[in-house]
Amino acid sequence: MADTCGQVLLGSGLTVLSHPLMYIKVLIQVGHEPLPPTLGRNLFGRQVQQLPGLFSYAKHIVKIDGKVGLFKGLVPRLCASTIGTFVHSKVMLHVFPSVLTLQCWSFLQTTKEMIARSCATVITHPFHVITLRCMVQFIGRETKYSGVFDSIVTIYREEGILGFFAGLIPRLLGDVLSLWICNMLAHLINTYAIDDSMNHKGEIKNCSQAGTGFLASMLTYPFVLVSNLMAINNCGLAGGLPPYASIYPSWVDCWRHLSREGNMSRGNSLFFRKLPAGKMYAIEQKRFF
């Protein structure tokens, strides 16, 4: 129990610190571009037209809503983080308990982690939906989702139970694929590429785990994007309605539309953001068409 409480406190601290980054990323994912492109330099020093990055976007939000404005949606996200940590730890204790002594069974270890993560994701997804909708209100300056309990009532009244699980399927698929890609690649590298006689074997394994985790997150990012867009789609907010988004009957339709438009990586980077190919910036709508 003490370990779980420690994880909750650590997770809550990291959630607070990372919240402005997630807030800006979500607004970019939706397609909100309040600042026009500027002339900048890419990684190779060449002058190119770029979209404003993290710090410029953050300054824009602070100018409108103050520093507190960078933390919209923090309360439901903290609820999701706390509940998710408790659920994850409980499931890890009760699923395949014998696996704890069989460290070589990478497959069962990954299966155990997958079940724990999936349970936590399903249970906390309603808070994730509320978090995203609180953030996206910045676009249309709405106040429809003003608190956790009020948001729960609003979603249930307008969309029923299913409204709390908008975007759940692509999120689950992305989590599961990311976990398996990361753990299987790390297992292969640690088993066949790293020799027991190597110096700093532990550090090398940690680096391989971090590297495979980064690769897995890049490969599964489209699932994150589609999940977030479906969570706010057609919910009565400007960010979930045309012109920012079409009305998607299912997450598959959203995937196909983004793929057709070449937007599957939108919001993946917060720095050195290049202009969308073949798109024109509309100042009044504050987005690309």
Side-chain angles (χ1 to χ4, degrees):
M1 184 66 181
D3 291 340
T4 303
C5 291
Q7 291 175 6
V8 169
L9 290 175
L10 178 61
S12 297
L14 293 174
T15 297
V16 173
L17 292 174
S18 66
H19 193 77
L21 276 72
M22 179 185 174
Y23 184 22
I24 293 169
K25 179 181 281 288
V26 168
L27 293 178
I28 295 174
Q29 287 176 338
V30 175
H32 185 57
E33 298 291 350
L35 302 172
T38 58
L39 189 64
R41 295 186 181 275
N42 61 14
L43 289 171
F44 303 101
R46 187 165 58 89
Q47 282 194 337
V48 292
Q49 286 286 326
Q50 292 181 338
L51 291 172
L54 171 67
F55 299 112
S56 298
Y57 214 123
K59 287 179 181 179
H60 174 74
I61 294 174
V62 171
K63 183 179 179 180
I64 295 175
D65 290 335
K67 293 181 180 179
V68 178
L70 291 171
F71 296 92
K72 280 187 178 179
L74 177 60
V75 174
R77 191 175 174 218
L78 283 172
C79 291
S81 174
T82 302
I83 297 172
T85 301
F86 277 108
V87 172
H88 184 275
S89 63
K90 290 296 182 183
V91 174
M92 288 293 285
L93 288 174
H94 292 91
V95 176
F96 304 147
S98 61
V99 177
L100 293 174
T101 59
L102 301 174
Q103 299 297 330
C104 61
W105 287 21
S106 178
F107 178 83
L108 289 181
Q109 290 282 17
T110 303
T111 301
K112 180 177 180 177
E113 178 68 20
M114 178 188 70
I115 295 172
R117 284 194 190 184
S118 297
C119 290
T121 297
V122 171
I123 291 174
T124 61
H125 193 74
F127 295 102
H128 181 67
V129 171
I130 294 172
T131 297
L132 295 175
R133 295 186 181 185
C134 287
M135 292 174 170
V136 172
Q137 288 184 137
F138 176 81
I139 297 173
R141 311 306 297 163
E142 299 104 335
T143 56
K144 184 177 181 179
Y145 298 92
S146 57
V148 176
F149 296 109
D150 288 342
S151 298
I152 291 173
V153 172
T154 299
I155 294 174
Y156 182 75
R157 184 177 64 246
E158 296 185 358
E159 304 170 55
I161 294 295
L162 291 179
F164 294 107
F165 299 97
L168 175 62
I169 294 177
R171 187 182 179 202
L172 275 177
L173 288 174
D175 283 349
V176 170
L177 287 173
S178 178
L179 175 65
W180 280 98
I181 292 171
C182 173
N183 284 9
M184 290 301 99
L185 284 178
H187 176 70
L188 291 173
I189 293 172
N190 294 339
T191 303
Y192 300 105
I194 299 177
D195 192 89
D196 290 337
S197 61
M198 286 183 173
N199 294 328
H200 308 292
K201 178 183 175 182
E203 290 83 350
I204 295 174
K205 284 189 174 183
N206 290 335
C207 289
S208 70
Q209 187 76 31
T212 55
F214 177 76
L215 175 62
S217 66
M218 292 290 289
L219 292 174
T220 58
Y221 177 77
F223 289 95
V224 176
L225 175 60
V226 171
S227 173
N228 288 350
L229 293 182
M230 289 305 297
I232 62 157
N233 191 245
N234 198 24
C235 66
L237 299 177
L241 296 169
Y244 282 96
S246 302
I247 305 301
Y248 304 115
S250 71
W251 71 270
V252 177
D253 295 292
C254 179
W255 182 292
R256 288 173 177 168
H257 180 261
L258 291 173
S259 180
R260 190 167 56 249
E261 295 288 323
N263 288 327
M264 294 303 288
S265 62
R266 188 171 65 194
N268 194 22
S269 174
L270 296 178
F271 301 97
F272 303 107
R273 299 175 56 224
K274 62 180 182 180
L275 273 65
K279 302 284 186 177
M280 294 292 294
Y281 181 73
I283 297 178
E284 294 184 359
Q285 287 83 10
K286 297 181 180 180
R287 61 169 289 113
F288 284 90
F289 289 96

